[in-house]
Amino acid sequence: MLMKLRTRKAIGTFLTVLWITIYCLIVGTVGAIMVVGRGMTLELPFYVIAGFGWVPVEMWIIKWMSRPDAA
């Protein structure tokens, strides 16, 4: 049995909140331990990469939950 669009969107919303929460905790911890205070030449690239690092997984979640229902 295939999932309906409404069910996928509900699951996708939950996954989005879960993913962003876990990602922020991991990146914040890594940044605090390894990056902060080591100069702008390390901090700036870290913040740029970390700022966009969540996007590929989120794109996959959105693509999955936006598929149309099978006929």
Side-chain angles (χ1 to χ4, degrees):
M1 183 172 164
L2 297 173
M3 268 192 259
K4 298 276 188 193
L5 178 64
R6 184 177 177 137
T7 305
R8 282 193 311 274
K9 284 192 176 190
I11 294 169
T13 301
F14 174 75
L15 288 175
T16 295
V17 172
L18 182 67
W19 165 242
I20 297 297
T21 302
I22 291 170
Y23 183 79
C24 287
L25 290 171
I26 291 171
V27 169
T29 302
V30 169
I33 292 171
M34 302 176 91
V35 179
V36 173
R38 297 209 179 174
M40 204 53 142
T41 57
L42 188 60
E43 287 183 26
L44 183 62
F46 173 78
Y47 290 130
V48 170
I49 293 168
F52 289 107
W54 61 276
V55 173
V57 174
E58 188 57 33
M59 286 173 52
W60 179 83
I61 292 171
I62 291 170
K63 183 179 177 184
W64 173 79
M65 72 181 196
S66 298
R67 287 187 322 205
D69 288 336

